[in-house]
Amino acid sequence: MPTNVFSASTFFPKEKDEILFKERYSKILAVSREKYCKSRSSVEAKINSTLDEVEREEKDFEKKKEDFKKKKEAEKKAKN
C-alpha cells in the first residue's frame, strides 16, 4: 500500500522575542569565548615560536643546498 506523498510543507516561523534572543545570544557568545578563546599573549607566543622554527628550517635548507652545490662542483673538478 503506497504512502502519502511528501508535501514539503513547513510551519510558519515563530515570532521572535527580542529580549529572549539577546539573552540567548549573549550567553552563547560568553560560553563560546570561555571554551574557545585564548589569551592574546599565548597566541602571539605560539605564532612567534612557529615563525622562529620556520626561519631555522629555511636556514638549514639553504645551508644544505649550498653544501650540495659545493659537492657537485667538487665532483666536476675531480672528473676533469
Side-chain angles (χ1 to χ4, degrees):
M1 175 142 187
T3 60
N4 293 339
V5 177
F6 178 67
S7 67
S9 63
T10 60
F11 296 109
F12 289 105
K14 193 175 176 183
E15 193 172 314
K16 183 166 82 170
D17 180 5
E18 287 296 325
I19 296 170
L20 183 61
F21 176 79
K22 287 179 182 178
E23 288 174 359
R24 286 181 178 172
Y25 179 81
S26 61
K27 186 175 183 178
I28 290 169
L29 193 60
V31 170
S32 179
R33 284 182 175 155
E34 288 175 10
K35 187 173 182 179
Y36 297 110
C37 288
K38 295 182 180 175
S39 69
R40 181 181 182 125
S41 59
S42 68
V43 172
E44 287 175 346
K46 178 121 178 161
I47 290 171
N48 290 333
S49 69
T50 302
L51 289 175
D52 290 343
E53 184 179 332
V54 168
E55 287 176 358
R56 197 175 323 110
E57 288 175 1
E58 286 177 345
K59 286 178 184 175
D60 290 346
F61 177 75
E62 290 297 323
K63 186 176 182 321
K64 287 179 183 179
K65 195 164 79 170
E66 287 297 318
D67 291 344
F68 182 76
K69 283 182 183 177
K70 288 178 183 176
K71 182 180 174 184
K72 286 294 182 183
E73 289 174 5
E75 288 176 359
K76 279 184 182 179
K77 287 181 182 179
K79 284 184 180 179
N80 293 335

